[in-house]
Structure formats: C-alpha cells, structure tokens
Amino acid sequence: MTRFALTVEFDGRPFMGWQRQPHGASVQGAIEDALHSVTGEAATVHAAGRTDAGVHGLAMRAHVDVAKAITPFRLMEALNARLRPAPVAVLACEEVADDWHARFSCLGRAYEYRIVNRRAPLTFERGLAWQVPQPLDTGAMAEAAQVLVGRHDFTTFRSVHCQSASPVKTLARLDVRRVGDRVMVEAAARSFLHHQVRSMVGCLVLVGLARWSVERLREALVAADRAELGLNAPPDGLFFVAADY
Amino acid sequence: MTRFALTVEFDGRPFMGWQRQPHGASVQGAIEDALHSVTGEAATVHAAGRTDAGVHGLAMRAHVDVAKAITPFRLMEALNARLRPAPVAVLACEEVADDWHARFSCLGRAYEYRIVNRRAPLTFERGLAWQVPQPLDTGAMAEAAQVLVGRHDFTTFRSVHCQSASPVKTLARLDVRRVGDRVMVEAAARSFLHHQVRSMVGCLVLVGLARWSVERLREALVAADRAELGLNAPPDGLFFVAADY
C-alpha cells in the first residue's frame, strides 16, 4: 500500500458537499469513483475537512491508500482524466508516510469567504459569492472580526448538527479586506466548528450594514447560545483555501 | 429622448456574441429585450465593441436612447430585474449628451486574456480561461509582446471576416504577467481588428512554448499575411475590460 496526498480544487455548485452521500453527487464520491476506475480498488478518500453543499475548495488536502503500483504523477493524470466532466481537479499528488493523515495530521485550516458588494446581480460568480446589495462598512466589519479572534466558546456560531467534542476553539485570524466591490473575509484556525465561518461572516455583515454594533457581536459571542446568531451566510461564498501540516 | 450610457458585465458562455443574431442568444438581444419590457420601446443598443461567441465582458460600454421618462438608477434596476436569469448585469447607468456614442466616441479599448498554465483541468474557470498544460516562459512572451506594440499592418493577426477599413492599427500596450499559474495578457489600443487579440495571444503562447522565437513572431508580423498566423487563441479567455472616452 502506498499513501498519496492529494490537493483538490472543486466547484461545489453541483455537489451535496464533500462527504459521500447515498443519494446525490459528492466530491468524495467523484474522486473515489475515479480512483476505482484507475486502480480497481474501493478506497476511501480522507479529507482535511468536510464541506457543506455548495461550498468550494481551492486546495483541499486529502489522502488515499493505493495497492496498485503507480507514480504520483500518473495517478494525478489518471484521476483528472476520469473526473471529467465533474468540476473537480487534482492539482498535486505526492507520496506520503503511512502515518500522514489528511484530517488528523492537519495543524491548521484556512477559509476565504467572498462577498460581492454591489446592486447589480452576479454573472460570472453566481453561486461563487454572496451578493450583498447594501453598502458594507468594511472598517466596522474588520473591527468586529477582532472580537472573535482568540480562544472562545463558539456555541453561538455552531450548527446544531456540529459533531465537535467541544465548542471551544481558537480562532487564529479573521481578516476583512475590500478590493473594489469585493469584500473578502479570511479565517484561519487549527479547526472550525460546523457552520462557524458562515455564521461569523453572517454576523460581520450585520455589523457592516450597521444593523449590529461591535458590542452586539461581543454579546452574541459571550452568550454562547445559538439563538443569539444574527445571520448565517449562504454557502455560495465559502472556499476552503488551505490546510497546513 | 434621453441617451443613457450603460456599463455592462456579461459571461459570454451562453451567447453567440455581443451582436444581435436572427438565431441564437446575444448580449445585445438580451439587453434590447429587457429594455423593451421596461419601456415598451424597440431601441437599438450600441456598444463600444462587438465580441465573438464565448468572449466575455467585465465593463462593456454601450448607449441607448429612451423616450420614456425614467431616472438612470431606475433604468439600471429595471434592466437588471428583467435580464435575469441571463448572466448579463448593468453595473452602471448615466445620462449622457445626445452626441455621445459608445462606439464612435470611444478613444481606447482594453482587453484581458486569461491563461491558466497548469496540467489539471479547469473547474471554476471552464469557458473563462485558456488552459495551457505545458510550462509557458512568460519572460519570452513579454519580450515578444513588445514586437507587436506600436503602429503596424496587423493583417497576419486579422480575421478574414474583419470589416475594418484598414489593417493598420496602433497597439498602445501588450503586457504579459504571471501570478502563480495564471498568465494574463493585457492589450490596449484605440481600436482592434477582428480576432486581433486572440491571434496575438495565440502567437505569444507559441513563443512561451519555445515553438516560435521572438524573431519568428517579428517575421509573421512583417509578412502581413494571415497564412503566417501560428495559432488563434480560443475565445474562452478573452475579456473586454474597458472603454475610454
């Protein structure tokens, strides 16, 4: 058996999420099916993180064990040939040690959330960004983001379906920056709760719209109560961008 | 009659091009139909440039004359509401003088051509970029581009369907830059011949692949002969980015 680490880019629009589902297309399922077609083996692909329906990946990391003798380059090429026409591409493939695990060895994860702040509807980025028509005060959003950075009980920003053992996480970075009418929120942490990034972004947008004060956001965090969540951002704008090992 | 200038973003993938066609969807047709639905008027929309099937627009400029009393903001909002679900959006709308003409008043046009230089297939950018799997020497491409800058007979880089009175054009700028695996070619001129940007990019890619020397490109230009064209880049990667007045 050889363990291969994959770097995967995927457009989440046609998928029910990363994780294989009994009904409906998934990114994991697409890769596992391609792998079966290449190797004849029924292997499980393990990822650094699971993404929800409609969430995208720029560089998801994953691993798989393969019995067939094949070089990383040939495996990458063969997977990409079989993945068509699904919008999933293996950007890199390398041999790793048997104890390297895409999920358990991962020391940090980074997401980017893309907002298009304009009145005009989206064209190229439909399903790839959250269109917010009202002007956003990104200075206020950036200030509010700092309230969330650090070690906190993030229950307010956690899906009821979250399977994490603890709601306490350490948010390493939450940056808000504007380039023209694009507003990008970049989040980094060792790990995140289910829906945490979307929930944080939703509340930052409330601050950007002046519907919430920075103080109101702090109260919502301290409450550690899902009922205090102001707004959950749609999946469209969320991209898994990096996993560190 | 009031003349309105429009700034239009469009994803060219589902269209046969900018220009209205008897059979098949066009960007001009989509806007004119939306306009008719808003005003009840059958007006012609004039653009700074015509784009081919599959070519995109980030900020095409256009104008139209409207008899109905309506503010620029209301016109923009109404057009955008009617354009759905077509991937066409009016980003800006303003009243202009009666003698302002999107095509004839235009003093300069700029295009961007997007190449993704990697082996992995495209996911998000399918139809929005040209995937070139072999490594491109962007230094050589940038050097070769300077051969084309200036006033030349561009017959080699001109479609046989080109309707321009003269093949002599002055190319103001042709820049090649790389950001990671993205290679962008930016072109600016008062006006371009039909297929000129795609033909120039095709030959620059031949230089980037070391299949053509810079000298070979110069010979192709001087020959002023369409038969000397090495390669016409696909429409996918071409974006109309700006019109100056």
Side-chain angles (χ1 to χ4, degrees), chain B residues 131-215:
Chain B
Q131 184 214 354
V132 176
Q134 302 87 351
L136 286 171
D137 178 346
T138 42
M141 291 172 68
E143 185 193 339
Q146 298 323 301
V147 168
L148 300 172
V149 170
R151 184 177 160 88
H152 302 287
D153 179 333
F154 281 101
T155 297
T156 304
F157 303 92
R158 178 190 199 183
S159 156
V160 293
H161 302 293
C162 183
Q163 292 169 15
S164 178
S166 161
V168 177
K169 295 285 176 188
T170 300
L171 182 63
R173 196 162 62 79
L174 190 64
D175 293 335
V176 179
R177 59 194 179 89
R178 177 187 281 276
V179 180
D181 61 9
R182 318 270 125 165
V183 177
M184 250 89 82
V185 182
E186 294 169 349
R190 186 174 177 97
S191 64
F192 289 91
L193 299 169
H194 190 213
H195 280 191
Q196 186 182 342
V197 178
R198 287 167 56 190
S199 296
M200 295 191 302
V201 169
C203 293
L204 289 182
V205 162
L206 290 180
V207 172
L209 296 170
R211 286 167 53 189
W212 269 26
S213 64
V214 174
E215 201 40 52

Side-chain angles (χ1 to χ4, degrees), chain B residues 49-61:
Chain B
R50 291 169 181 176
T51 53
D52 282 327
V55 173
H56 318 288
L58 295 184
M60 176 61 81
R61 299 297 297 276

Side-chain angles (χ1 to χ4, degrees), chain A residues 161-183:
Chain A
H161 302 294
C162 183
Q163 291 171 16
S164 177
S166 162
V168 177
K169 295 286 176 188
T170 301
L171 182 62
R173 196 164 61 79
L174 190 64
D175 293 335
V176 179
R177 59 194 178 90
R178 175 186 283 275
V179 180
D181 61 9
R182 319 268 125 164
V183 177

Side-chain angles (χ1 to χ4, degrees), chain B residues 11-169:
Chain B
D11 177 343
R13 286 178 287 189
F15 296 109
M16 296 183 71
W18 172 274
Q19 202 174 3
R20 189 182 261 281
Q21 307 277 338
H23 306 293
S26 66
V27 183
Q28 182 189 0
I31 301 172
E32 288 175 356
D33 292 352
L35 197 73
H36 182 261
S37 151
V38 174
T39 63
E41 301 166 34
T44 299
V45 174
H46 298 269
R50 291 169 181 176
T51 53
D52 282 327
V55 173
H56 318 288
L58 295 184
M60 176 61 81
R61 299 297 297 276
H63 80 262
V64 67
D65 294 325
V66 175
K68 181 187 167 89
I70 189 167
T71 66
F73 181 77
R74 289 298 299 262
L75 180 60
M76 177 178 80
E77 296 277 294
L79 286 175
N80 282 333
R82 264 81 168 188
L83 280 164
R84 292 171 190 269
V88 179
V90 179
L91 303 183
C93 178
E94 56 191 317
E95 233 182 280
V96 287
D98 287 355
D99 63 350
W100 189 93
H101 195 288
R103 182 174 168 200
F104 299 122
S105 308
C106 184
L107 301 176
R109 293 161 173 91
Y111 285 90
E112 181 177 296
Y113 195 98
R114 299 182 183 172
I115 297 166
V116 177
N117 188 26
R118 70 179 198 191
R119 293 200 63 84
L122 300 180
T123 62
F124 302 103
E125 289 174 296
R126 213 171 282 172
L128 298 175
W130 181 17
Q131 184 214 354
V132 176
Q134 302 87 351
L136 286 171
D137 178 346
T138 42
M141 291 172 68
E143 185 193 339
Q146 298 323 301
V147 168
L148 300 172
V149 170
R151 184 177 160 88
H152 302 287
D153 179 333
F154 281 101
T155 297
T156 304
F157 303 92
R158 178 190 199 183
S159 156
V160 293
H161 302 293
C162 183
Q163 292 169 15
S164 178
S166 161
V168 177
K169 295 285 176 188

